[in-house]
Amino acid sequence: MSRTCTYLTLAFSLLSIPAFGQFQASRVGPQGPISPAPRTDRVLVVDPAGAGDYLTIQAAVDAAPEGALVLVKPGTYAGVQIDGKGLRLESEMPGAASLEGMLRVLSLSAAQEAYVGGFSLGEGLDVTGCMGDVSLVGCVSIHNEVLVPPPAGVHFGNYPDCGVGLSRHVITSSAGVSLVDCALTGRNGIRYPVCDGSPGEHALIVEDSRVTVYGGTLIGGNGSDAPGCHGAYAGAGGDAVLARGATSRVLTCGGIREGGTGGRDLELNWSHGCPGVEFRSFDGAVGEECAIDHVTFEIAPLVQTGALPSYEITGPPGADVFIMMSPRRSWREFPASEGVLHLGSGLQLIPLGVLPPSGQLSRPFPSPVPAWHRAYASIELQVYARVGALERYSEPRSLVVTSPGL
């Protein structure tokens, strides 16, 4: 009988791994506070109370050098635009920082990467013209309680109008975007101007882009009813994902995907709105669903040296558990069987033990770990399991380690 092997894969967002240093490991909960990050030009702290380096996120983003970490304290902020700059934008505590305006990530070169983690998005998301990797982790944008009218002069009815409507979350002309554990919803439609219904918004529109969606929820808005006028049209339901363009490829792995319900013709009962679907394709766009089971684990998203977190892995009992380390990683990989996190060269393997009969294993972050010569280190993690011929992947997770010693 062959043994089951499970791998916890790590990748460091550095080009090289220096000599190992020794860190102590202790528990840090995902919602727990951390001590202030060191004051350097590579770690910029945003605090509306004035205890940080900047009062607004946009000011910190504009001042940040390439590759910097912008660490955001809890509060409500205006929208932010990352334009032509690779950096990491992180809420200190997941969900504690809210953007009232749009989050825009624009015009990254193939050599640049942007990471945005833990924000509540008030107005939506726009990723446009990014050739480098864009990672959105733990972001929430829920708008079903808000209603939207249709474009002027446009009617929405049944089958011919499937896939119409708008979205507040759009990815356009981008080479590799990952959404990990994000919750995005479309808004519901309203009657307009007097009798007609209007479509619900799509949770996500992808145009000529490659996108990976791990976990989370994508739910289209509901179309509104046509309440009683002869010849009126009910609104179509919004789709979870609508993809356009021959270069669009969307990989979805786990999570919840739901289309919104179509509105009803309440008078004649014939012009009901088309219901939304999990995935809709136009103009040759391709959608893929991971044909693999999932392994789950929990780990704090933001830590400091001296307070490294433990993580909890759930998987098949009897599995050998390892951590794999690599100085190179990519957030996007196709086909799905290769997983979203592809490790490069320079692998190191650290055995952690065997999953007990409960199928759950808790371990501190392994020591030793690499020492980094910069103000912070970004670590991407993913569980990988092999059970015979069956491959299992978890959603990726991410850590930021900050220390004056870096």
Side-chain angles (χ1 to χ4, degrees):
M1 179 182 297
S2 62
R3 301 192 72 185
T4 299
C5 292
T6 301
Y7 299 91
L8 177 64
T9 56
L10 266 88
F12 299 90
S13 60
L14 305 174
L15 296 179
S16 62
I17 295 182
F20 282 103
Q22 187 78 22
F23 293 156
Q24 286 188 330
S26 63
R27 178 68 176 171
V28 177
Q31 303 299 327
I34 65 168
S35 55
R39 292 291 195 269
T40 75
D41 63 350
R42 304 284 296 187
V43 180
L44 308 179
V45 178
V46 180
D47 187 347
D53 302 304
Y54 295 90
L55 297 176
T56 69
I57 300 175
Q58 191 63 59
V61 168
D62 292 343
E66 184 77 19
L69 165 66
V70 176
L71 178 60
V72 181
K73 297 285 186 177
T76 301
Y77 301 87
V80 62
Q81 179 169 299
I82 302 171
D83 191 350
K85 181 184 293 186
L87 53 76
R88 186 177 188 109
L89 179 61
E90 184 101 34
S91 174
E92 184 185 53
M93 292 188 292
S98 300
L99 302 181
E100 290 186 323
M102 289 284 290
L103 168 64
R104 289 187 168 90
V105 184
L106 311 174
S107 305
L108 296 185
S109 71
Q112 294 175 311
E113 296 181 1
Y115 176 103
V116 180
F119 285 87
S120 176
L121 309 180
E123 288 297 322
L125 168 70
D126 173 19
V127 179
T128 300
C130 293
M131 296 300 100
D133 288 347
V134 178
S135 302
L136 304 165
V137 179
C139 294
V140 177
S141 181
I142 298 177
H143 296 288
N144 262 351
E145 73 282 5
V146 182
L147 305 180
V148 59
V154 178
H155 293 282
F156 302 94
N158 44 22
Y159 181 79
D161 299 305
C162 294
V164 299
L166 309 174
S167 177
R168 289 193 139 189
H169 316 110
V170 181
I171 300 171
T172 306
S173 302
S174 295
V177 180
S178 295
L179 280 71
V180 181
D181 286 342
C182 289
L184 308 179
T185 64
R187 297 180 297 179
N188 297 322
I190 62 173
R191 287 176 291 169
Y192 178 84
V194 177
C195 298
D196 289 339
S198 66
E201 288 184 332
H202 309 296
L204 177 66
I205 289 180
V206 176
E207 298 179 334
D208 294 309
S209 299
R210 291 163 60 102
V211 176
T212 302
V213 181
Y214 259 74
T217 58
L218 297 176
I219 300 177
N222 298 325
S224 63
D225 296 334
C229 299
H230 183 73
Y233 292 83
D239 301 320
V241 180
L242 184 145
R244 302 189 186 105
T247 59
S248 286
R249 300 183 71 184
V250 180
L251 172 66
T252 56
C253 301
I256 298 173
R257 317 277 176 264
E258 294 180 0
T261 59
R264 298 179 58 205
D265 174 3
L266 300 181
E267 182 188 24
L268 299 179
N269 200 36
W270 67 275
S271 61
H272 301 315
C274 176
V277 296
E278 293 184 20
F279 179 83
R280 195 183 303 277
S281 171
F282 289 108
D283 305 322
V286 176
E288 298 181 58
E289 180 71 27
C290 288
I292 51 179
D293 292 335
H294 285 270
V295 177
T296 61
F297 74 104
E298 297 296 333
I299 194 162
L302 186 66
V303 298
Q304 294 223 285
T305 54
L308 295 174
S310 64
Y311 47 84
E312 298 175 1
I313 301 173
T314 302
D320 291 321
V321 181
F322 299 85
I323 279 187
M324 297 178 65
M325 296 185 178
S326 171
R328 301 184 63 188
R329 66 109 172 98
S330 173
W331 279 93
R332 52 187 172 87
E333 273 298 314
F334 292 92
S337 61
E338 296 185 27
V340 70
L341 181 61
H342 176 69
L343 294 180
S345 59
L347 293 178
Q348 297 184 0
L349 190 67
I350 300 176
L352 299 179
V354 178
L355 282 175
S358 66
Q360 295 182 329
L361 180 68
S362 180
R363 285 289 186 269
F365 195 86
S367 181
V369 297
W372 303 276
H373 300 296
R374 61 187 294 177
Y376 76 95
S378 170
I379 309 171
E380 320 302 334
L381 305 96
Q382 186 179 31
V383 173
Y384 168 70
R386 187 180 295 275
V387 185
L390 179 64
E391 294 179 314
R392 297 184 178 184
Y393 292 87
S394 73
E395 293 82 0
R397 291 291 187 273
S398 184
L399 291 175
V400 177
V401 179
T402 62
S403 168
L406 298 177

